[in-house]
Amino acid sequence: MANSWDGVDLRNMIVEHEKLSFIQRYACLIGRFAAFDITAPNAGLRGEVEKSIMAFTAEQLAGNCSFLMSIRFLARQTRGMFDAGPRLARLLASHQRWLLTQTAYALHLEYDPRDPTSGFTAVRLTGRITAHKVASRNTVLAFIEELYTYRFITHTPGDERRRPRHFEPAIVSHQAMFTWIHVNLAALDLLDGGERAAFFQANPALMKLVQPRIARHCLEDAAWREPPEQVAQFLWTEAGGLVVDNFIARMEPEETEAGKFLVGRVETRALAADFMMSRTHLQRLLAKAAQRGCVGWHDEPRKTRLWISQGFVEEYSAWQAVKFAYVDEAFEWAKARIEELAV
């Protein structure tokens, strides 16, 4: 049956939800597809899909002279996400929280009604995170409590008193995750003129396939899970990712001098307030980075006009290439799988 999976008519499902907002349609589609095991291996189909994938590798991305443009685009879009929802955006602002958030969301999408222990539960998230030494059990539980307190997640209806207790993302969390993947795909499109972002926007049910695959690969690959030293000093700290995004978004690749990219005027008091972090914490972070030669100031001792080193940018770009490669691979894999199933 064209445009259907096991008798589920995709076209009718989408038309049925046209009167709802886009993100409501996405959430409904995800809920409807939860009953279908579209990620289960299929011996004949899976082999053909795997062979047909044509995605960028991390090495190709890192060696692409235009890749920095894509990274700057993503950094600027991330800033827009922060402005739209600062507290929620901070969940992706440190690498530990990024891994926790992506893994928790993936567990939710991987829920199998035939297996009551599957899905997003405290036990499942703790097990997956601690297995890779990303965070302690107490840190995971505190993270879940924070998500619940700020209503970024809710209890699955009917599970309030059951064990294990299941959680599911709130609508705002669905929207944020969808936007994050969408802008990553748009950044990849800048490299080859592709239409990944448009296809993803038009086919929101792809999320059920794409996001868990990205999350799993990123968590399991030490090249992404454990950032290189210069990058790690920012990314393992609270709001450190926001600071790096700010510098990358503002730097001028054309204005380089002796291996330094100009970022421009940086007022630590204003920047700290903007990202809801202490000024002391930001100043210490910049001081440590300056000692390593990652950043510096053109106007010592006033310290207002910041530069960022070419070495740091290259290391950050190579690290980002790992994640972007997994995003591209997951998208191409999911797209090919859906197209095969729809025939």
Side-chain angles (χ1 to χ4, degrees), residues 230 259-261 293-294 308-317:
Q230 292 187 79
K260 302 173 183 177
F261 293 108
C294 302
I308 188 169
S309 74
Q310 182 176 344
F312 176 86
V313 172
E314 290 175 350
E315 189 172 277
Y316 183 72
S317 296

Side-chain angles (χ1 to χ4, degrees), residues 24-25 29 65 75 82 114 188-189 193 195 234 243 308 327 342:
Q24 286 175 319
R25 292 202 306 273
L29 284 168
C65 60
F82 177 82
R114 296 167 297 185
L188 286 165
D189 287 340
E195 298 181 351
F234 284 96
V243 175
I308 188 169
V327 171

Side-chain angles (χ1 to χ4, degrees), residues 68-78 182-188 190 248-249:
L68 184 55
M69 174 182 65
S70 293
I71 293 177
R72 292 177 69 214
F73 169 83
L74 178 63
R76 290 169 177 172
Q77 295 301 311
T78 300
H182 184 265
V183 298
N184 272 266
L185 293 173
L188 286 165
L190 292 176
I248 295 294

Side-chain angles (χ1 to χ4, degrees), residues 2 5 12 15-16 40 47 65 80 99 102 138 169 193 204 209 270 272 275 280 289 303-304 307 311 336:
W5 297 339
N12 286 343
V15 170
E16 176 185 334
C65 60
L99 291 167
Q102 294 285 349
N138 287 341
L209 292 172
F275 292 149
T280 300
K303 296 183 178 180
T304 57
W307 55 260

Side-chain angles (χ1 to χ4, degrees), residues 119-127 137 140-141 144 164-167:
F120 176 15
T121 68
V123 172
R124 290 296 291 268
L125 182 59
T126 299
R137 176 179 179 275
V140 175
L141 296 179
I144 294 174
R165 184 176 297 169
H166 289 78
F167 299 94

Side-chain angles (χ1 to χ4, degrees), residues 17-278:
H17 293 84
E18 279 184 345
K19 294 183 180 180
L20 300 176
S21 69
F22 168 75
I23 196 60
Q24 286 175 319
R25 292 202 306 273
Y26 160 66
C28 290
L29 284 168
I30 288 296
R32 292 282 292 277
F33 282 122
F36 300 92
D37 190 9
I38 60 177
T39 61
N42 179 302
L45 175 62
R46 187 176 185 180
E48 293 303 315
V49 170
E50 296 287 354
K51 291 177 184 177
S52 67
I53 295 174
M54 294 293 290
F56 282 117
T57 66
E59 292 75 17
Q60 289 171 335
L61 289 169
N64 190 314
C65 60
S66 299
F67 184 50
L68 184 55
M69 174 182 65
S70 293
I71 293 177
R72 292 177 69 214
F73 169 83
L74 178 63
R76 290 169 177 172
Q77 295 301 311
T78 300
R79 174 62 206 225
M81 293 173 63
F82 177 82
D83 290 339
R87 193 172 295 279
L88 183 59
R90 281 173 63 88
L91 294 179
L92 302 176
S94 78
H95 193 48
Q96 183 185 68
R97 283 172 167 259
W98 188 96
L99 291 167
L100 282 163
T101 300
Q102 294 285 349
T103 303
Y105 197 91
L107 286 171
H108 165 69
L109 292 186
E110 291 172 340
Y111 173 68
D112 182 350
R114 296 167 297 185
D115 179 6
T117 67
S118 67
F120 176 15
T121 68
V123 172
R124 290 296 291 268
L125 182 59
T126 299
R128 193 166 292 189
I129 290 296
T130 56
H132 292 90
K133 300 181 180 179
V134 171
S136 68
R137 176 179 179 275
N138 287 341
T139 298
V140 175
L141 296 179
F143 176 74
I144 294 174
E145 184 63 29
E146 181 182 359
L147 292 180
Y148 186 74
T149 298
Y150 289 111
R151 300 182 181 179
F152 296 142
I153 60 173
T154 61
H155 291 303
T156 299
D159 267 20
E160 293 84 352
R161 297 184 179 180
R162 294 180 183 176
R163 292 292 186 273
R165 184 176 297 169
H166 289 78
F167 299 94
E168 59 183 42
I171 291 294
V172 66
S173 300
H174 281 303
Q175 184 177 27
M177 187 62 74
F178 189 93
T179 300
W180 181 85
I181 293 181
H182 184 265
V183 298
N184 272 266
L185 293 173
L188 286 165
D189 287 340
L190 292 176
L191 297 175
D192 59 6
E195 298 181 351
R196 301 171 185 81
F199 189 90
F200 187 65
Q201 181 88 15
N203 298 273
L206 270 176
M207 187 73 153
K208 184 171 173 61
L209 292 172
V210 172
Q211 193 278 334
R213 195 171 176 92
I214 296 171
R216 182 175 67 255
H217 285 157
C218 285
L219 180 64
E220 293 176 351
D221 190 346
W224 173 259
R225 189 178 67 247
E226 301 170 9
E229 189 174 359
Q230 292 187 79
V231 177
Q233 66 183 324
F234 284 96
L235 270 294
W236 284 117
T237 65
E238 182 182 0
L242 294 172
V243 175
V244 173
D245 283 339
N246 180 273
F247 294 166
I248 295 294
R250 294 173 55 192
M251 75 176 203
E252 297 295 340
E254 299 80 12
E255 297 184 21
T256 179
E257 178 182 343
K260 302 173 183 177
F261 293 108
L262 176 64
V263 172
R265 188 175 183 83
V266 173
E267 296 285 356
T268 56
R269 185 187 300 276
L271 191 62
D274 196 17
F275 292 149
M276 298 185 293
M277 60 191 299
S278 76

